[in-house]
Amino acid sequence: VDVCITGADRVTCGGDACNKIGTYLKALAARDNAIPFYVALPSSTVDWRMEDGEDIPIEERGADEVKYAEGLCEADGKRRKVLLTPASS
């Protein structure tokens, strides 16, 4: 691996980038292996009113969105929703 490039959901005018879960681990792995780490983004991703990453709001999702997977069932062609987590969680 010669370089690590990731996207970003939002970037502050100070250069702090915020992305989805997993990006931080990629950044740490790149640093530990002396591999350059870059964030590729359109200019619309930069929030010029925010100076610091502390100001970036964390996106919260409904519990059903992370507990279930939904898709088309090949057997009958109907949409199905499947619980991915233990029922008691």
Side-chain angles (χ1 to χ4, degrees), residues 3 10 14 21 36 39 46 48 51 53 56 58 60 64 68 71 77:
V3 66
R10 189 175 293 181
I21 294 172
V39 177
V46 179
W48 296 104
E51 294 185 21
I56 298 174
I58 302 299
E60 294 187 26
D64 281 0
Y68 295 90

Side-chain angles (χ1 to χ4, degrees), residues 41-87:
L41 60 130
S43 60
S44 60
T45 303
V46 179
D47 190 330
W48 296 104
R49 296 165 294 165
M50 288 188 186
E51 294 185 21
D52 190 273
E54 296 280 330
D55 299 327
I56 298 174
I58 302 299
E59 177 184 0
E60 294 187 26
R61 299 185 178 211
D64 281 0
E65 196 171 339
V66 294
K67 285 185 170 184
Y68 295 90
E70 188 173 345
L72 191 62
C73 180
E74 289 183 11
D76 60 13
K78 294 182 181 179
R79 292 194 63 77
R80 301 282 186 207
K81 192 175 189 178
V82 179
L83 179 64
L84 300 174
T85 60

